[in-house]
């Protein structure tokens, strides 16, 4: 810190760059990991990337009923929502501390 209690701008810039690199690394990790969500007791399974992109959908043939397409549609939507919730939890775990502590990491008041 400089005299008078003000943080050194060079230190702030270095800390900001380090934080940016950590965030980019965490984002890359999230894009590479996959999480799943299920519905109907596992009859429908959706797989999404940590960034929330749908990458796979598995439907057990037992749930396919041409007379009841609505139930199948509901199960697909529920499985994708479950997978996205799991991806969101993962993102919060990976990035929550980084993004939330940005101001404090620079020696500034939290945002």
């Amino acid at each position: 810190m400089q005299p008078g209690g003000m943080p050194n701008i060079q230190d702030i810039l270095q800390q900001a760059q380090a934080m940016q690199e950590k965030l980019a690394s965490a984002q890359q990790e999230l894009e590479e990991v996959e999480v799943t969500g299920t519905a109907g007791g596992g009859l429908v399974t959706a797989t999404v990337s940590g960034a929330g992109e749908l990458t796979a959908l598995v439907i057990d043939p037992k749930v396919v009923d041409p007379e009841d397409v609505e139930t199948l549609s509901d199960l697909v939507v529920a499985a994708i929502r479950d997978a996205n919730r799991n991806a969101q939890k993962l993102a919060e775990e990976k990035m929550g501390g980084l993004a939330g502590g940005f101001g404090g990491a620079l020696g500034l008041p939290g945002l």
Side-chain angles (χ1 to χ4, degrees):
M1 276 200 191
Q2 295 179 342
M6 293 298 294
N8 180 318
I9 191 73
Q10 193 67 15
D11 290 343
I12 291 173
L13 291 174
Q14 287 176 346
Q15 290 176 357
Q17 183 175 359
M19 183 66 65
Q20 184 177 17
E21 290 170 5
K22 287 180 183 178
L23 283 169
S25 176
Q27 286 174 328
Q28 180 66 34
E29 286 179 43
L30 284 172
E31 289 176 10
E32 294 172 359
V33 72
E34 291 186 333
V35 295
T36 61
T38 62
L43 293 173
V44 177
T45 301
T47 303
V48 298
S49 71
E53 180 182 343
L54 181 65
T55 60
L57 182 65
V58 178
I59 300 172
D60 188 310
K62 289 185 273 187
V63 76
V64 179
D65 178 358
E67 301 297 318
D68 189 12
V69 176
E70 186 176 335
T71 296
L72 178 57
S73 296
D74 290 344
L75 290 172
V76 168
V77 169
I80 292 170
R81 284 183 180 155
D82 187 44
N84 279 324
R85 273 192 300 271
N86 292 337
Q88 182 65 34
K89 280 191 247 178
L90 180 65
E92 289 170 3
E93 290 171 9
K94 286 253 183 230
M95 301 185 74
L98 293 174
F102 194 75
L106 298 178
L108 302 172
L111 301 175

